[in-house]
């Protein structure tokens, strides 16, 4: 059983690095728990299923925590069997449910959560979620809880990994919706302004824009001049004989309704906004998301078996591996200018 840090005035500023700890001194793991946190992502159920099946087959008792960190500090914890995860692989969302917890943002709440794991005799915690979920895991690790993070977020904005669970499904959902909007836009002289998810990251917007042949792309990573990059692009297209236009905007780069109004006022072209919103979070996960979720979660169990805690499971250079949680959260990630230049050549 792990040893908790109870001195609220002396919490370490870094999580223990188990690479520097003699594994013989680390107690064997008997019970593990898994939670999903933050926004749900297609493939989370596949990840939970893999944790449960590989965990039990490795000799662990596995517990599920309902409603993420919010459920953790409240003690919503129960044992899960392989039967409980039957028929979950193909389902979107997360059957463990998820929630955002203000309580976990404060040290007092983090200590409550850590103590609840102690109450249930949990030896290691697996967290499936995005950057905010990872910060919660790091806070628990600094208090002495052994943790493993698995990247589950549709935005693909976790710096330490090339891929996050849910990303492929959300892009395919957005692409299919935009293809249908293009069909109706082509029947009129109309501009469709489609807002996709991505408050701080434009990965979904960029790839969907490339896949759907969009004329304009607005993302938070790249400043834009509205007249030059939107109005002029649409007008140049019209003057070349084009009769329909697609503008893709990440939610962090603008509001689709306001952008559509500005386009119509400036060009006289009918502009219709569409906000895809949480539609992108739903649906059965794609093959890639099911496979990545399953293999990443199996790797998480390998980390636990080898007593390599406080790790983030990642995809790097096409290979599933893991990095130290402090190192992973210190990394930065952004869209390169080369990727933007390629889109501009195509548009």
């Amino acid at each position: 059983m792990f040893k908790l840090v109870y001195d609220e005035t002396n919490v370490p500023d870094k999580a223990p690095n188990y690479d520097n700890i003699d594994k013989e001194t680390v107690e064997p793991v008997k019970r593990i728990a898994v939670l999903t946190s933050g926004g749900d992502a297609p493939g989370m159920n596949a990840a939970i299923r893999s944790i449960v099946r590989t965990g039990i087959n490795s000799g662990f008792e596995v517990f599920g925590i309902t409603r993420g960190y919010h459920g953790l500090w409240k003690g919503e914890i129960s044992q899960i069997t392989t039967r409980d995860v039957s028929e979950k692989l193909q389902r979107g969302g997360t059957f463990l449910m998820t929630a955002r917890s203000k309580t976990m943002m404060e040290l007092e709440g983090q200590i409550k959560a850590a103590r609840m794991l102690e109450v249930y005799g949990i030896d290691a915690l697996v967290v499936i979620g995005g950057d905010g979920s990872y910060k919660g895991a790091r806070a628990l690790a600094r208090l002495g809880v052994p943790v493993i993070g698995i990247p589950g977020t549709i935005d693909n904005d976790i710096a330490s990994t090339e891929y996050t669970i849910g990303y492929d499904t959300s892009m395919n959902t957005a692409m299919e919706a935009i293809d249908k909007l293009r069909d109706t836009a082509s029947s009129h002289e109309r501009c469709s302004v489609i807002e996709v998810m991505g408050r701080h990251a434009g990965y979904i917007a960029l790839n969907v824009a490339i896949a759907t042949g969009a004329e304009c792309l607005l993302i938070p990573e790249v400043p834009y001049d509205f007249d030059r990059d939107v109005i002029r692009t649409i007008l140049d297209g019209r003057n070349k004989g084009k009769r329909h236009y697609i503008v893709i905007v990440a939610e962090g780069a603008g509001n689709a309704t306001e952008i559509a109004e500005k386009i119509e006022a400036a060009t006289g072209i009918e502009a219709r906004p569409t906000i895809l919103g949480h539609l992108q979070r739903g649906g059965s996960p794609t093959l890639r998301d099911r496979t990545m979720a399953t293999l990443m979660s199996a790797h998480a169990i390998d980390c636990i078996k080898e007593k390599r805690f406080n790790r983030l499971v990642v995809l790097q250079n096409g290979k599933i591996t893991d990095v130290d949680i402090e190192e992973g959260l210190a990394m930065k990630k952004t869209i390169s200018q080369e990727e933007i230049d390629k889109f501009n050549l195509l548009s």
Side-chain angles (χ1 to χ4, degrees):
M1 185 65 188
F2 55 81
K3 184 178 180 181
L4 285 178
V5 175
Y6 284 116
D7 185 356
E8 299 182 20
T9 63
N10 194 32
V11 177
D13 60 1
K14 286 188 177 181
N17 187 329
Y18 280 77
D19 288 340
N20 304 323
I21 297 174
D22 183 0
K23 300 296 189 297
E24 296 299 320
T25 66
V26 180
E27 291 291 325
V29 172
K30 297 178 181 178
R31 291 182 169 189
I32 65 174
V34 57
L35 63 80
T36 50
S37 175
D40 63 292
M44 280 184 165
N45 279 327
I48 299 166
R49 173 183 178 273
S50 181
I51 290 293
V52 172
R53 287 182 177 270
T54 56
I56 290 173
N57 289 334
S58 298
F60 304 134
E61 293 179 60
V62 183
F63 289 74
I65 300 169
T66 307
R67 278 180 279 273
Y69 291 121
H70 187 70
L72 172 56
W73 70 263
K74 292 175 66 179
E76 297 181 19
I77 304 172
S78 58
Q79 192 166 0
I80 307 181
T81 67
T82 54
R83 187 176 183 85
D84 294 323
V85 295
S86 180
E87 300 299 322
K88 297 293 193 296
L89 182 66
Q90 72 277 18
R91 287 174 50 187
T94 163
F95 78 91
L96 285 179
M97 305 177 68
T98 182
R100 303 187 190 276
S101 176
K102 292 182 179 180
T103 302
M104 272 295 291
M105 295 180 182
E106 303 295 334
L107 179 59
E108 181 181 358
Q110 295 160 9
I111 291 175
K112 279 184 181 180
R115 285 177 175 164
M116 194 58 70
L117 291 168
E118 190 176 48
V119 167
Y120 277 84
I122 304 299
D123 300 309
L125 175 66
V126 179
V127 173
I128 306 167
D131 189 66
S133 303
Y134 277 5
K135 288 175 181 176
R138 180 178 62 184
L140 291 175
R142 289 177 177 179
L143 290 172
V145 178
V147 301
I148 304 290
I150 298 173
T153 170
I154 66 171
D155 292 331
N156 200 37
D157 59 348
I158 296 179
S160 57
T161 184
E162 296 166 4
Y163 188 82
T164 62
I165 297 164
Y167 182 47
D168 190 58
T169 306
S170 67
M171 287 194 297
N172 276 282
T173 298
M175 181 186 70
E176 290 167 7
I178 293 164
D179 283 346
K180 292 174 182 177
L181 287 167
R182 182 179 282 281
D183 288 344
T184 186
S186 64
S187 299
H188 310 267
E189 184 178 9
R190 180 179 293 165
C191 175
S192 289
V193 182
I194 299 106
E195 183 179 314
V196 299
M197 283 191 164
R199 189 167 299 156
H200 304 293
Y203 296 100
I204 293 175
L206 172 62
N207 286 284
V208 167
I210 291 171
T212 59
E215 282 71 36
C216 302
L217 169 68
L218 306 178
I219 56 176
E221 292 90 343
V222 180
Y224 60 89
D225 180 287
F226 191 80
D227 287 344
R228 180 195 66 206
D229 299 325
V230 180
I231 301 301
R232 179 67 184 271
T233 298
I234 291 172
L235 290 176
D236 284 349
R238 183 179 66 181
N239 294 340
K240 292 175 182 177
K242 205 169 183 62
R243 291 295 177 263
H244 60 270
Y245 320 90
I246 298 290
V247 177
I248 306 294
V249 54
E251 61 182 321
N255 178 278
T257 302
E258 294 175 359
I259 291 169
E261 290 173 352
K262 290 172 69 175
I263 290 172
E264 188 162 333
T267 66
I269 297 170
E270 181 184 8
R272 296 282 184 87
T274 301
I275 300 173
L276 296 182
H278 285 79
L279 176 70
Q280 296 158 90
R281 292 195 184 279
S284 181
T286 60
L287 182 146
R288 187 178 191 195
D289 277 328
R290 296 185 199 192
T291 303
M292 291 301 299
T294 299
L295 296 179
M296 282 183 161
S297 298
H299 186 90
I301 295 297
D302 286 342
C303 288
I304 294 172
K305 284 167 27 180
E306 296 163 11
K307 298 180 181 178
R308 292 188 297 111
F309 303 116
N310 303 341
R311 310 293 292 181
L312 302 179
V313 179
V314 299
L315 183 73
Q316 291 184 350
N317 300 317
K319 180 182 178 182
I320 294 174
T321 183
D322 54 89
V323 298
D324 175 73
I325 192 168
E326 296 284 358
E327 177 189 338
L329 280 170
M331 294 178 181
K332 304 296 181 184
K333 181 179 184 179
T334 190
I335 292 173
S336 69
Q337 186 60 48
E338 181 184 3
E339 292 173 287
I340 301 301
D341 291 343
K342 285 180 179 177
F343 168 78
N344 290 333
L345 287 172
L346 292 164
S347 63

